[in-house]
Amino acid sequence: MDFRLSEEHDMLRKMIRDFAKKEVEPTARERDEEERFDRKIYDQMAELGLTGIPWPEKYEGIGSDYLSYIIAVEELSSVCASTGVTLSAHLSLASWPIYMYGTEKQKKNFLTRLAGGEALGAFALSEAGAGSDVASMEMSAKKDGDAYILNGNKVWITNGGVADIYIVFAKTDPAAKHNGITAFIVEEGMEGFSIGKKEKKLGIRSSPTAEVMFENCRIPEENRLGDEGDGFKIAMTTLDGGRSGIAAQAVGIAQGALDAAINYAKEREQFGKPIAHNQGISFKLADMATEIEAARLLTYKAAWLESNGYEYGKASSMAKLFAGDMAMRTTVEAVQVFGGYGYTKDYPVERYMRDAKITQIYEGTNEIQRLVIGRMVTE
């Protein structure tokens, strides 16, 4: 087995790291405090080709692989988790289902705009009463001639309110439960589509999370993604890959926190020496570094499996589960290394800690991941 990254992956990592340090990190604290999404950063990512990393060049992508996408999310998240999840949701939740299930016309119309960065994507699945229990969603889609009429609300939408293209799930046959769910491609500005409440969050505050609402929103039949009743399958397979993206976000957050903790521990002196020389601190740093590397390997494995056409669902769930829990432990310990200073906004570790928590929740809570993995290993 060869655990070394290819020269292409190494070059990509360096490019994204340089971009993240130069263009993303300087405003990360300010954007977090102001809860401000900066479209200019997304546009800059588009110029670098990041918005279409894994998609073929004929769809305005750069023809790379899922591991490259994971590396991008990790590096961005190491300085700003909000920017990392903006790209993750755009690529794995909005673009991926169109690439996998869309018609050629849909790919030419929607995927090319997403991949090229002309449009930003979002994924609308959750409802107020239907989070982990997707089949209980109430949003409806009724056929009306050559169109569907959508009614209902979706919540917790990453990129909500700033996205241009949404993958939306609704019931076309309520009696069929999960087999009655259908997916649609909805564009911002369609009549009957509007943005509701913007959430005020603990972390990832410069990534907008909003409610999206549909009131007699007429969607052309050609915007249906897959066949009627395919929605549950589309949603679940999309989330499989999305979990790898969240795992990468968690790894990036933890790495950023560790780097900050190491630098501080080398500089901060107590009892006549840097605190990094104290066993209590050095052991913390050692555990943090070890867990980060373990999570990174799990995440890269899931991405490698997907890139090479192997089954990756279990691997992505394991990566998301372990990396999310790891990121929370690591960021809490990073704050501890800083002591009282870590509890202030003068240093970034408090933001890393706030950002880490969501990685245990979205794209399927870690409790759901344990349920999924448990079923897989006992079948």
Side-chain angles (χ1 to χ4, degrees), residues 271-297:
F271 305 105
K273 61 182 179 180
I275 63 172
H277 295 173
N278 294 328
Q279 190 178 78
I281 299 298
S282 66
F283 276 19
K284 286 183 187 294
L285 299 175
D287 287 342
M288 292 157 70
T290 301
E291 289 203 19
I292 290 170
E293 190 62 17
R296 180 177 288 117
L297 288 171

Side-chain angles (χ1 to χ4, degrees), residues 2-18:
D2 188 350
F3 289 93
R4 294 172 298 179
L5 293 177
S6 68
E7 183 178 350
E8 176 188 336
H9 288 127
D10 279 332
M11 291 175 60
L12 180 75
R13 182 189 293 281
K14 183 180 185 305
M15 178 192 74
I16 299 171
R17 183 172 292 174
D18 290 345

Side-chain angles (χ1 to χ4, degrees), residues 287-354:
D287 287 342
M288 292 157 70
T290 301
E291 289 203 19
I292 290 170
E293 190 62 17
R296 180 177 288 117
L297 288 171
L298 275 172
T299 305
Y300 285 13
K301 177 184 177 182
W304 182 88
L305 289 170
E306 184 172 7
S307 295
N308 288 278
Y310 296 107
E311 169 57 43
Y312 59 91
K314 182 172 74 173
S316 66
S317 285
M318 287 180 168
K320 196 269 185 188
L321 167 63
F322 185 81
D325 287 349
M326 175 280 299
M328 199 66 242
R329 289 192 297 269
T330 296
T331 54
V332 168
E333 288 289 59
V335 170
Q336 192 70 17
V337 169
F338 276 77
Y341 290 109
Y343 204 66
T344 72
K345 290 184 179 292
D346 292 338
Y347 293 92
V349 287
E350 62 84 27
R351 171 165 54 87
Y352 286 124
M353 184 175 73
R354 289 187 288 106

Side-chain angles (χ1 to χ4, degrees), residues 14 42 48 52 100 140 150 163 165 169 172 183 195 237 240 266 272 276-277 284 291 294 300 304 330 341 372:
K14 183 180 185 305
Y42 177 77
L48 293 175
M100 291 300 296
S140 65
L150 273 58
I165 296 172
F169 298 84
T172 47
I195 305 301
T237 53
D240 280 344
K266 288 179 177 179
H277 295 173
K284 286 183 187 294
E291 289 203 19
Y300 285 13
W304 182 88
T330 296
Y341 290 109
V372 169

Side-chain angles (χ1 to χ4, degrees), residues 106 143 145-148 184 219-226 228:
Q106 289 171 337
K143 191 79 187 312
D146 60 354
Y148 288 87
F184 300 90
I219 306 298
E221 185 176 7
E222 63 183 19
N223 280 35
R224 187 187 69 210
L225 188 59
E228 283 196 10

Side-chain angles (χ1 to χ4, degrees), residues 99-112:
Y99 178 69
M100 291 300 296
Y101 297 102
T103 63
E104 189 61 27
K105 183 177 180 180
Q106 289 171 337
K107 292 175 186 178
K108 288 291 186 182
N109 185 21
F110 300 110
L111 184 58
T112 54

Side-chain angles (χ1 to χ4, degrees), residues 174-199:
K177 297 183 179 179
H178 71 276
N179 289 321
I181 298 172
T182 302
F184 300 90
I185 303 170
V186 178
E187 295 188 76
E188 190 276 331
M190 284 183 161
E191 187 174 354
F193 172 67
S194 61
I195 305 301
K197 174 188 175 185
K198 180 182 176 182
E199 302 295 341

Side-chain angles (χ1 to χ4, degrees), residues 37 85-86 89 120-124 154-166 188 193-199 201 206-213:
F37 173 76
V85 78
T86 295
L120 174 62
F123 181 83
K154 295 291 184 179
V155 297
W156 309 121
I157 311 306
T158 301
N159 297 338
V162 297
D164 307 289
I165 296 172
Y166 294 76
E188 190 276 331
F193 172 67
S194 61
I195 305 301
K197 174 188 175 185
K198 180 182 176 182
E199 302 295 341
K201 309 188 299 293
S206 60
S207 165
T209 303
E211 176 186 30
V212 294
M213 303 182 294

